[in-house]
Amino acid sequence: MYDLKRKSMGLVPAAMREEATKPLLLSMFFVGFSCMMITTHVNGETSTQFGKFWGAGNYQDQIRKLQANFKPSLTRRELDSSISPSTPTSPALAPSPEGQGIQQPNVNGPRVYQVTLYGADPTGKTDSTEAIEKAIQEAASDGGGGGGDLMQGIANLGGSQIHLQGGNYLISKPLQLPAGIGNLMITGGTLRASDDFPTDGYLIQLSAPSSSSSSSYNFEYITIKDVMLDCNYRGGGISVIKSLRTNIDNTYIAHFNSDGILVQGGHETYIRNSFLGQHITAGGDPGERNFSGTGINLMGNDNAVTDVVIFSAAVGIMVSGAANILTGVHCYNKATGFGGTGIYLKLPGLTQTRIVNCYLDYSGIVAEDPVQLTISNTFFLGDAYIVLKSINGVVRGVTIVDNMFSGYDKGIDIVQLDQTNGPFKQIDQVVVERNNVKGMNIRSTVARGSAQGNGTSWTVDFGPVLLFPNLINHVYYSLSSSDASFPNHNLRNVSQNQVVIQSDAAIPATVFVTVDQGVTI
């Protein structure tokens, strides 16, 4: 700006320098020059046009032109200064024919729908439900010009945003997204349920009326990001029904009485970098025994929960769909000692879930009739443990390896069987091994032991270690003796998880035995 001004002053005619002793005209010159600079910036005029302006006519003509430009230029400058460059831009809004109200956005403008422009109250003192719904409806009706890039029957909104502008908004009923839309984001603020919010609702609902339930998917690529949801103990946080490729990112969901997040049907809902808790606490809450609700309820397939903390609820994550993965999840919801569960796998016979690199903090894992389940590299603190629960007596393709368990020497097994509904009868490809344990009892499907003595029989008891009672599928042993003779020896018995080796002659010997419960031939 300085160089341009200096260069421009060099273009002023000599007549102006002769009039430099006239303070009033000189003052008008600088004011007019400043206004001309602002007008040039706003209207996009180039420096070449600027030079032509000064080079035309005499000095008095230039002053008159500057005076004429002063008022409109100042008005435009004041308008521009009222717009923060960091504030997200809303769509260009055209006035109604009567000049009243907010109308459809200019389709050529940016599609960031700022909810305060629709009447939402960012202080949370008055109900903003209708205003936010209006913003959602306008975003959905705009169409976004995205074309047919999404699933058939789902309109591409082109990345439109419902922007909450850092406000705290009171809502009295669920914010229902219209079915059949995609490529939309809700971001940037807090939603809080009112005292009369329906207890069976969710603050944000991705669902469709029953009349349109025949569609394969109701939504695609909906993102809910950087928001806090306060359910006020009146309902749930977010419901995602028959949605495809949904992102829930950096959310904080509190005070729910049902589910923090419900995922039902659909595919590929990704929940990450989020915090969920029925009560605001950091552990050791005096009311922990009364925690209820579920942090995340996955009633669908192919979903992922990554880097999520559930700090208060009766159940941290309930999984009743297949092919889900949980990584980096920290559950310190209601402790197991108070009746809570960190992760509950409730899909008997078709689990197909991977739990990797998680942290179960005083609350453990329960899996009903698990089939194809992996739990690895996970930390169990405070006597937290894993329960395999028999429903139809099936456990197959289960891998529990390379985990850490830490307890208080209370004699608690790291993996337990719940066979109150009947024993496990189909046990195949189960591997519980290589877990390190402190202050708890190790349980495994693979064990090693030895027995030493001088005689004809050696017994190694694996009952305290093996997970399943009275089950040994494979035995590997070797007999080492200092005696010069070569007696015959053989495996005689494996009942009650005790391995008995016998020889046909008394000798001093040590027997080394490895057993495996996991594979049925």
Side-chain angles (χ1 to χ4, degrees):
M1 183 67 71
Y2 170 77
D3 291 340
L4 181 60
K5 180 177 180 181
R6 182 174 57 186
K7 180 178 179 181
S8 302
M9 289 181 67
L11 296 174
V12 177
M16 179 175 178
R17 292 193 296 270
E18 292 174 0
E19 298 293 329
T21 58
K22 299 179 180 180
L24 179 59
L25 290 178
L26 183 60
S27 174
M28 291 176 62
F29 162 71
F30 281 110
V31 172
F33 176 76
S34 174
C35 295
M36 183 280 297
M37 290 291 290
I38 294 172
T39 305
T40 299
H41 172 71
V42 172
N43 293 331
E45 295 177 336
T46 65
S47 58
T48 302
Q49 293 171 322
F50 173 80
K52 288 181 179 180
F53 174 84
W54 277 101
N58 56 35
Y59 169 71
Q60 296 297 334
D61 291 338
Q62 309 309 327
I63 293 300
R64 283 192 293 271
K65 292 179 181 179
L66 288 174
Q67 289 174 319
N69 284 336
F70 176 76
K71 186 173 182 179
S73 298
L74 182 60
T75 303
R76 183 59 179 269
R77 179 177 62 183
E78 290 173 347
L79 178 61
D80 288 351
S81 65
S82 68
I83 301 176
S84 170
S86 62
T87 302
T89 307
S90 283
L93 300 175
S96 65
E98 296 80 13
Q100 299 177 352
I102 297 175
Q103 298 299 308
Q104 291 294 330
N106 183 346
V107 296
N108 296 319
R111 294 181 175 87
V112 180
Y113 297 78
Q114 299 186 40
V115 296
T116 57
L117 297 182
Y118 296 83
D121 176 9
T123 69
K125 295 179 181 178
T126 59
D127 192 339
S128 294
T129 308
E130 184 177 347
I132 299 175
E133 284 181 334
K134 190 179 299 182
I136 293 172
Q137 290 295 333
E138 288 204 0
S141 62
D142 179 17
D149 299 328
L150 301 179
M151 292 290 291
Q152 184 176 2
I154 297 180
N156 185 351
L157 302 187
S160 297
Q161 295 183 16
I162 308 300
H163 209 292
L164 302 178
Q165 302 170 265
N168 187 346
Y169 303 94
L170 184 69
I171 60 174
S172 56
K173 64 178 182 178
L175 299 176
Q176 174 70 58
L177 269 65
I181 62 172
N183 199 1
L184 171 73
M185 177 186 291
I186 299 175
T187 186
T190 297
L191 300 174
R192 180 168 53 90
S194 65
D195 291 338
D196 57 349
F197 190 92
T199 56
D200 60 349
Y202 292 79
L203 271 70
I204 300 176
Q205 293 188 168
L206 277 67
S207 59
S210 57
S211 59
S212 60
S213 60
S214 59
S215 302
S216 297
Y217 303 104
N218 297 322
F219 307 91
E220 182 180 0
Y221 191 36
I222 302 295
T223 298
I224 301 171
K225 182 179 180 181
D226 302 337
V227 299
M228 180 174 182
L229 304 179
D230 183 347
C231 304
N232 193 25
Y233 304 109
R234 296 290 302 174
I238 303 171
S239 68
V240 182
I241 313 297
K242 294 174 63 176
S243 183
L244 184 64
R245 291 181 273 275
T246 303
N247 290 297
I248 300 175
D249 190 3
N250 192 32
T251 61
Y252 190 122
I253 304 176
H255 301 147
F256 48 86
N257 69 356
S258 53
D259 305 310
I261 299 173
L262 168 66
V263 178
Q264 186 173 349
H267 286 270
E268 299 142 20
T269 294
Y270 274 40
I271 305 169
R272 56 192 171 215
N273 307 323
S274 295
F275 306 89
L276 299 97
Q278 186 180 59
H279 301 267
I280 306 298
T281 179
D285 194 289
E288 185 171 342
R289 293 178 182 272
N290 300 318
F291 289 175
S292 61
T294 300
I296 299 174
N297 193 351
L298 297 179
M299 301 175 66
N301 302 337
D302 309 333
N303 306 299
V305 180
T306 305
D307 298 330
V308 166
V309 175
I310 295 123
F311 54 86
S312 60
V315 178
I317 301 178
M318 177 74 75
V319 182
S320 53
N324 294 291
I325 182 167
L326 314 179
T327 61
V329 172
H330 182 190
C331 292
Y332 63 101
N333 51 297
K334 182 191 288 190
T336 299
F338 296 151
T341 305
I343 300 172
Y344 199 113
L345 305 170
K346 194 176 181 62
L347 187 64
L350 190 64
T351 312
Q352 294 180 330
T353 294
R354 293 148 291 162
I355 302 172
V356 183
N357 294 331
C358 292
Y359 179 9
L360 278 299
D361 194 343
Y362 284 78
S363 60
I365 297 174
V366 177
E368 296 184 353
D369 270 6
V371 172
Q372 292 191 310
L373 167 65
T374 292
I375 303 173
S376 67
N377 293 291
T378 290
F379 179 37
F380 295 80
L381 179 66
D383 287 321
Y385 54 87
I386 300 168
V387 176
L388 306 181
K389 184 174 183 177
S390 173
I391 302 299
N392 299 307
V394 178
V395 55
R396 181 183 300 116
V398 174
T399 305
I400 303 173
V401 298
D402 300 325
N403 301 289
M404 294 191 298
F405 294 83
S406 179
Y408 296 102
D409 294 309
K410 297 179 180 179
I412 295 176
D413 296 340
I414 63 170
V415 182
Q416 303 178 17
L417 304 179
D418 181 348
Q419 301 185 90
T420 55
N421 294 320
F424 283 107
K425 296 171 289 188
Q426 300 180 40
I427 303 168
D428 186 27
Q429 301 178 70
V430 179
V431 179
V432 181
E433 190 184 12
R434 301 196 312 270
N435 300 293
N436 69 74
V437 180
K438 176 185 176 183
M440 299 177 72
N441 294 337
I442 192 166
R443 286 289 180 174
S444 180
T445 58
V446 177
R448 298 168 183 83
S450 64
Q452 186 176 14
N454 189 344
T456 60
S457 181
W458 297 264
T459 300
V460 182
D461 185 4
F462 292 101
V465 177
L466 290 177
L467 176 62
F468 298 100
N470 195 26
L471 175 65
I472 293 177
N473 288 323
H474 293 89
V475 176
Y476 310 89
Y477 82 90
S478 63
L479 186 149
S480 176
S481 175
S482 59
D483 191 83
S485 63
F486 293 91
N488 294 319
H489 52 84
N490 203 351
L491 172 66
R492 301 298 294 177
N493 190 20
V494 295
S495 64
Q496 302 305 315
N497 288 340
Q498 293 183 344
V499 174
V500 179
I501 308 296
Q502 291 184 344
S503 67
D504 62 356
I507 56 171
T510 301
V511 173
F512 301 92
V513 182
T514 298
V515 295
D516 188 347
Q517 293 187 313
V519 180
T520 301
I521 297 180

